[in-house]
Amino acid sequence: MKFILGFLPTLPTTQADRLRLRPIGYRTEYWQRMFDQIVELARVAEDVGFDIATFTEHHLHTEGLEIGSVPSLSLYTAMNTKHIKVGPIGYVLPGWNPLRLAVEIGWLDQLTKGRSIVGMARGYQTRWLNSMAQKLHVQAAPSDQSEVDLLNRKAFEEVFQILKLAWKEEAFSFKGEFWEFPYPYEDGTPWKAHEWTKMYGAPGEIVGDRVKKISIVPKPYQKPHPPLFQAFSISDATVAWCGREAINAVLLSPRTVRVRELAELYQREAAAAGRKVPLGQGIASAHSVAIARDKQAAFKMAEAGINECYYRQFGGVFGFWEAFRVPEDEAKWPTGKATLPTSEWTIDRLDRCEYLYAGSVADVRRKMDELVEQANPEYFNVGGDQGFLPLEIVRDQIRQFGEQIIRHYQ
């Protein structure tokens, strides 16, 4: 099993200071503290056996929580570590010009000599994605099969299709619903240096004095491209698509029985696409971990960390708690008809639905042993408390997890 440490990331402060200094997102000193923390924690993570450090992509968060990621943050982290892989989980594809994204991915993978991953997401936060994707008339979307949702999915899949073309070592052209390359597609792009490009460029780029195909350079250092991840996968349709496309599905459905079901679905879809994979390959099971002397102390730590501040105060309004359902919820709050009330947004629920692995090292290992035995996920994704708990506590949690749990599975 391989291990992923997830950063939101977040400007490190208390809730009281977040209020007193609002908007803390304007304050350079807190950004610098966050960068220092990310590097320090990434170094600890690679020392104790984590394989990948990841970041979310969100923007415009003046509150300083989940402030987002750009490729330069992944590069900065890689340049200050030795071997851990880096990257977003994930790039929100509908918000990117696909050529710009392909260029950024190529540069990052080359500069890190193959230490990058490519995570992908559809985008659910309206504040920034609606503005950044406005020219496509695409918006952030919940997975509800609405017109907005379906249009977001079309844009996502079109960008992914272009990325696959861009990673090939040949020139390409493309005309889709949202993008066309070259532009304009029918006539081609006028190019005064056409003789130069005919002689030294990729075959097929030039017809007459016009660009008729394009090539993205640099190509990734890893061939044909860095490892691909889809975040965060809950629905059968998304996991099935990942299986067909050879993308690692990062699951936010935490119950072991559900991870097993989705791992089997992934395996079947991969086989239908001509790939024979063992059970669990291509699956990353996402969890929060709190290690303490006993479960009561671990719950207290989890309350003070990401689970309380993020899931209860922020992420819950975007529907994250729907991923943390248990079977007995159906009688009171049927799926698709009622959402879990805020009274159910508790640490106890995170424990009962098997998202939170809390307690002693032995307690956490028992839960992980069951997950490995039943579903055998290729990756275990740990959500980090950077920015929420004091640095020394987060550092100690990563070290304990690595030294006493990761090494148990290596």
Side-chain angles (χ1 to χ4, degrees), residues 153-162 174 176-179:
R153 166 63 71 178
K154 285 183 180 179
F156 173 89
E157 292 189 356
E158 185 166 307
V159 173
F160 179 59
Q161 186 179 355
I162 294 166
F174 177 87
E177 183 175 348
F178 304 98
W179 299 97

Side-chain angles (χ1 to χ4, degrees), residues 248-284:
N248 298 297
V250 185
L251 305 183
L252 196 58
S253 300
R255 296 173 58 240
T256 296
V257 64
R258 181 61 173 154
V259 176
R260 170 76 185 221
E261 291 172 356
L262 292 174
E264 290 174 342
L265 173 61
Y266 185 102
Q267 187 181 43
R268 291 195 301 272
E269 292 295 327
R275 294 191 308 118
K276 186 176 181 180
V277 302
L279 181 69
Q281 183 173 320
I283 296 295

Side-chain angles (χ1 to χ4, degrees), residues 65-81:
L65 184 151
E66 195 182 32
I67 52 81
S69 172
V70 291
S72 52
L73 177 60
S74 295
L75 178 61
Y76 179 75
T77 304
M79 294 296 98
N80 283 280
T81 52

Side-chain angles (χ1 to χ4, degrees), residues 37-145:
Q37 286 193 3
I38 288 171
V39 167
E40 180 172 347
L41 296 174
R43 286 172 173 169
V44 173
E46 73 172 358
D47 286 345
V48 299
F50 279 89
D51 300 278
I52 305 171
T54 65
F55 311 94
T56 59
E57 187 194 10
H58 293 298
H59 307 290
L60 312 185
H61 287 196
T62 55
E63 309 91 345
L65 184 151
E66 195 182 32
I67 52 81
S69 172
V70 291
S72 52
L73 177 60
S74 295
L75 178 61
Y76 179 75
T77 304
M79 294 296 98
N80 283 280
T81 52
K82 296 177 181 178
H83 55 78
I84 196 168
K85 286 187 178 249
V86 296
I89 290 189
Y91 296 109
V92 178
L93 300 194
W96 279 87
N97 177 306
L99 298 195
R100 169 62 67 182
L101 180 56
V103 167
E104 294 279 5
I105 289 169
W107 275 89
L108 178 61
D109 204 47
Q110 287 285 348
L111 288 169
T112 61
K113 294 185 177 179
R115 287 175 53 198
S116 80
I117 66 152
V118 174
M120 301 177 293
R122 289 179 53 203
Y124 66 92
Q125 292 189 6
T126 54
R127 174 167 53 175
W128 70 271
L129 185 57
N130 285 20
S131 292
M132 290 190 178
Q134 62 179 290
K135 296 301 183 182
L136 303 184
H137 305 291
V138 170
Q139 302 177 48
S143 297
D144 60 3
Q145 297 300 305

Side-chain angles (χ1 to χ4, degrees), residues 15 288-290 295-313 321 345-350 356 358 385 388-389:
Q15 292 298 80
S288 183
V289 176
K295 199 165 187 177
Q296 182 178 3
F299 269 31
K300 186 176 180 180
M301 181 188 300
E303 286 274 13
I306 186 175
N307 298 301
E308 160 65 19
C309 182
Y310 181 78
Y311 283 113
R312 191 176 297 169
Q313 298 185 39
W321 288 91
W345 297 4
T346 65
I347 293 296
D348 177 67
R349 172 172 289 276
L350 294 179
L356 175 63
D385 284 300
F388 299 103
L389 293 174

Side-chain angles (χ1 to χ4, degrees), residues 191 193-194 197-198 202-213:
W191 182 235
H194 53 88
T197 303
K198 280 181 184 177
E205 282 189 81
I206 300 297
V207 175
D209 63 353
R210 296 197 169 239
V211 176
K212 295 295 285 185
K213 291 185 177 181

